Amino acid sequence: MVTSRWTAAPAQAATSPRRRGPVLERAILDATLEQLSTVGWNGLTMEGVAAGAQTGKAAVYRRWPSKEDLVVDALQAGLPVLDSAADHGGVREDLLALCRRLRQAMFSRSGLALSAVIHECDTIAAERFHSVITEGVVEPGVELIKEVVRRGIDRGEVRPDAANATVCDVIPAMMMYRSKMCGSEWEDGELVDLIDQVMVPLLTSRPE
C-alpha cells in the first residue's frame, strides 16, 4: 500500500469557514494536487486552488507568493513514502511487487500531479522541481530496487556485480518511457514481461 506524508483533511473541515493554521494549509495543498492531477500545470491557477480549498485567494498568496512555491510544497507533502521493499523470498517476486507499488504511486493523484509538472513545465520552472523529483521519487525508488537486488545477491540468485546504477535505472526508465511515449498504464502482464524478459536475464546473465 502506498502511503503519503499527510492525510487529507476531513470533509467537514474542508467546508468550515473557521479553518486556519495547519488545517487550512493542508486543504490548500490538497486542492493544489487535485488541480495538478486534473487540469495539469498549465491549467493550475492560484484562484482555482483557493476555490478548491474553499478559502480566499489572499489566504493562498499569504503563504505562497507564487505558483511554483505552492506546487513545491504540495508535492513534498503529498508524494508517496518509498521507504522499504517487502521480502517475498525471491528477486523475481520482490521486483514484481515493487513494480506494482511504483505503478500505484505513478497513477495516484500525487503521481499524476508530478507527471503534469515534469511534462508541462518550461525549463526555468522545471529547475525548481528538480530536487523535489530527485530526492522524493527517483532516488528512493532506485534505492528500493538496489535493496531487492542486494538481497538477491545475498541469496545467490543475482550476479554479484548487478547492484549498479545502470541496472537499477532500468525499471524506472522503462516505466516512465512507456507511460509517457506509449500511453501504457502498465497492466500486470506488462509488468510480468518487464521482469521476466528484461530484469531477470539482466540480473542473472554474466556479461562476456
Side-chain angles (χ1 to χ4, degrees), residues 65-144:
S66 73
K67 177 172 152 176
E68 289 83 1
D69 293 325
L70 174 58
V71 170
V72 164
D73 281 358
L75 289 175
Q76 287 177 329
L79 287 174
V81 177
L82 300 172
D83 53 0
S84 63
D87 187 345
H88 297 277
V91 69
R92 179 187 182 276
E93 293 73 21
D94 288 355
L95 286 176
L96 188 55
L98 181 55
C99 282
R100 289 176 175 138
R101 186 177 171 193
L102 293 174
R103 176 183 61 188
Q104 183 183 359
M106 285 174 63
F107 293 100
S108 67
R109 183 176 59 177
S110 55
L112 293 173
L114 178 62
S115 179
V117 170
I118 293 172
H119 297 160
E120 296 179 32
C121 280
D122 59 39
T123 303
I124 295 175
E127 289 177 357
R128 294 210 54 193
F129 303 114
H130 178 76
S131 62
V132 177
I133 295 166
T134 301
E135 296 170 12
V137 179
V138 177
E139 291 177 353
V142 170
E143 281 304 310
L144 292 189

Side-chain angles (χ1 to χ4, degrees), residues 13-16 19 24 27-32 48-56 60:
T15 60
S16 170
R19 290 171 308 158
L24 177 58
I28 293 170
L29 296 175
D30 190 52
T32 302
V49 168
Q54 298 185 359
T55 189
V60 180

Side-chain angles (χ1 to χ4, degrees), residues 18-40:
R18 303 178 67 85
R19 290 171 308 158
R20 53 177 62 89
V23 174
L24 177 58
E25 290 178 2
R26 193 161 62 243
I28 293 170
L29 296 175
D30 190 52
T32 302
L33 289 179
E34 181 67 22
Q35 281 233 330
L36 278 172
S37 65
T38 53
V39 302

